Amino acid sequence: MAVLTSRFADGLAVGPDLVEGAETAIRRALAGLTGRADLVCFFICGDDPEDVARAGRRAMELAGDAAVIGCSATGVIGDTRGIELTPSVSAWAATLGEARVKTFALESLRADDRFVVVGLPERQLDDRVAIMLADPYSFPTDAFVEHSGEVLGNLPLIGGLANGLQGRGSVRLFADGEVYSDGAIGVILSGPVQVSTVVSQGCRPIGPTMVVTRAEDNVLLELAGQPALARLEDIVSALDEDDRELVASGLQIGIAMNEYAERHERGDFLIRGVLGIDPEREAVAIGDIVEVGRTVRFQVRDAETADEDLYELLDAHVAEGGRVDGALLFCCNGRGSAMFGTADHDALAIRDTLGPIGVAGFFAAGEVGPVAGHNHVHGFTASVLVFSTAS
């Protein structure tokens, strides 16, 4: 059943008939609104990409005059539930009043030795946020997002990497009546709309903060004047058995986003994975390029930490004031039942903290969201776009 609000509502349908599911989910979301829909988003999980495409076309037909975007996924979120690896459709509808809604479709073209992305609308002074859904197999999402400040300025960019149950070639993207099998699509919201972002990376620091004193590309050679691997070994040897198991299952590193902060604690870092070690060079390879002089701190991630981090960030958002009306949730497909034992965790966390609002989203192959004012692609993250009414 759709969650009823004045301006936002969601719908969910589970079952093998995706076209019927799209009809059910869209109609439930639209029925939950007290006004006309200005924006409709939907997410489809299905075995056959062509079935997904047919369901997407039907969803766009039912959206009427609203701007509409959607994508395929390996799991969807709606009605305070997460549905993984099962044929299902979730939908979300919003009444945005005088706000402007502009959809777009992005294509990457090769020019000499680099890619050029075309299709982004011209920026307006009152743009508030951009939502993007991308095919990870064909679109250079990491490079585009990391350099988005050059074309988007300080505009927050949030969303996720779509996928399909058949992997490469099964992704389908939807925007205003069109079906795409590559690239990226999205929407820019402008004018009088109050939005904010919550990006929960779900990690806990271990060991001290350290300055990078020598590095080559993404390889850390020295931390605080000592070989990076030796520093890491010292940190791990001081941990208890439980934390050592977390290190063994997937060590992370945090790059401090504010070099001038007196302390760097949980939430102050951009999280990246540790990819491997080089014993001969006593080096540590990580999933990003870090310049000499940056501050880093090793991190671990587990269900308890991820749970605490999400709840703390959402609670802090509520404390800032204003009434929360709706949200879009882009959740890593490595969270859900794989991390928490239930696919419902992140959706329930939003209900527990933000209230019974219209929320929908999908389990993504990578999440997009701003940290410390800069847009990034994340993993194992919950990225939330929150719509509010000023108090």
Side-chain angles (χ1 to χ4, degrees):
M1 181 176 181
V3 175
L4 296 179
T5 73
S6 59
R7 299 192 301 135
F8 301 86
D10 64 85
L12 174 70
V14 181
D17 190 330
L18 294 180
V19 172
E20 180 181 327
E23 293 174 349
T24 299
I26 293 289
R27 284 173 173 153
R28 285 176 176 172
L30 294 176
L33 300 178
T34 55
R36 66 181 294 275
D38 298 304
L39 174 62
V40 171
C41 303
F42 64 86
F43 314 99
I44 304 173
C45 177
D47 297 312
D48 185 342
E50 295 313 308
D51 285 346
V52 171
R54 281 189 286 272
R57 291 189 183 95
R58 183 58 178 149
M60 290 187 287
E61 290 173 0
L62 292 173
D65 295 332
V68 56
I69 60 172
C71 68
S72 59
T74 57
V76 305
I77 298 167
D79 196 20
T80 325
R81 297 171 60 193
I83 307 295
E84 300 172 317
L85 306 176
T86 301
S88 50
V89 182
S90 68
W92 180 88
T95 299
L96 299 175
E98 297 181 1
R100 301 193 310 280
V101 184
K102 177 69 173 179
T103 57
F104 60 82
L106 304 181
E107 182 183 5
S108 61
L109 305 175
R110 191 163 189 94
D112 297 327
D113 60 344
R114 61 193 179 96
F115 285 98
V116 176
V117 173
V118 297
L120 195 66
E122 185 175 342
R123 278 293 315 273
Q124 303 296 319
L125 292 177
D126 61 350
D127 289 346
R128 295 289 179 256
V129 69
I131 305 168
M132 185 178 75
L133 311 175
D135 171 19
Y137 304 104
S138 66
F139 188 76
T141 312
D142 289 86
F144 176 78
V145 173
E146 293 302 324
H147 294 90
S148 61
E150 299 171 11
V151 291
L152 296 177
N154 61 352
L155 185 70
L157 179 64
I158 196 164
L161 303 187
N163 211 338
L165 292 179
Q166 304 302 322
R168 181 184 295 272
S170 66
V171 173
R172 295 295 182 269
L173 306 171
F174 308 93
D176 281 349
E178 298 294 329
V179 181
Y180 303 87
S181 57
D182 53 27
I185 56 92
V187 63
I188 293 179
L189 305 181
S190 310
V193 55
Q194 186 162 321
V195 292
S196 54
T197 59
V198 174
V199 178
S200 175
Q201 300 178 88
C203 278
R204 169 168 53 87
I206 57 172
T209 56
M210 297 167 288
V211 174
V212 177
T213 49
R214 194 157 69 95
E216 293 179 3
D217 295 328
N218 69 320
V219 178
L220 304 179
L221 298 172
E222 284 187 1
L223 296 173
Q226 297 183 21
L229 183 55
R231 295 290 294 179
L232 175 57
E233 290 173 341
D234 289 343
I235 292 170
V236 173
S237 65
L239 299 176
D240 60 30
E241 184 176 348
D242 289 341
D243 278 352
R244 288 184 190 178
E245 289 182 2
L246 293 178
V247 169
S249 64
L251 180 64
Q252 314 291 315
I253 192 167
I255 305 167
M257 300 306 295
N258 180 4
E259 290 291 340
Y260 303 103
E262 293 184 5
R263 299 179 63 189
H264 294 98
E265 302 297 338
R266 188 168 77 187
D268 296 330
F269 299 92
L270 173 65
I271 304 300
R272 291 294 185 251
V274 173
L275 305 181
I277 60 174
D278 184 344
E280 291 186 4
R281 303 174 73 191
E282 295 189 272
V284 178
I286 68 173
D288 208 339
I289 296 175
V290 182
E291 298 176 351
V292 170
R294 295 296 299 272
T295 299
V296 298
R297 192 174 183 183
F298 287 106
Q299 314 265 331
V300 292
R301 179 188 282 119
D302 61 3
E304 181 179 354
T305 299
D307 175 83
E308 290 178 358
D309 188 67
L310 180 57
Y311 272 92
E312 286 180 7
L313 288 170
L314 292 172
D315 284 337
H317 191 281
V318 172
E320 293 177 359
R323 188 188 75 211
V324 176
D325 297 320
L328 284 167
L329 171 58
F330 308 100
C331 176
C332 180
N333 55 22
R335 291 171 69 97
S337 58
M339 177 175 286
F340 301 108
T342 171
D344 304 336
H345 177 274
D346 291 344
L348 289 173
I350 290 179
R351 186 195 64 184
D352 292 345
T353 52
L354 304 185
I357 59 176
V359 179
F362 71 100
F363 290 97
E367 306 74 57
V368 177
V371 173
H374 297 278
N375 299 317
H376 299 281
V377 178
H378 309 275
F380 291 93
T381 293
S383 289
V384 190
L385 178 61
V386 180
F387 292 78
S388 305
T389 299
S391 57

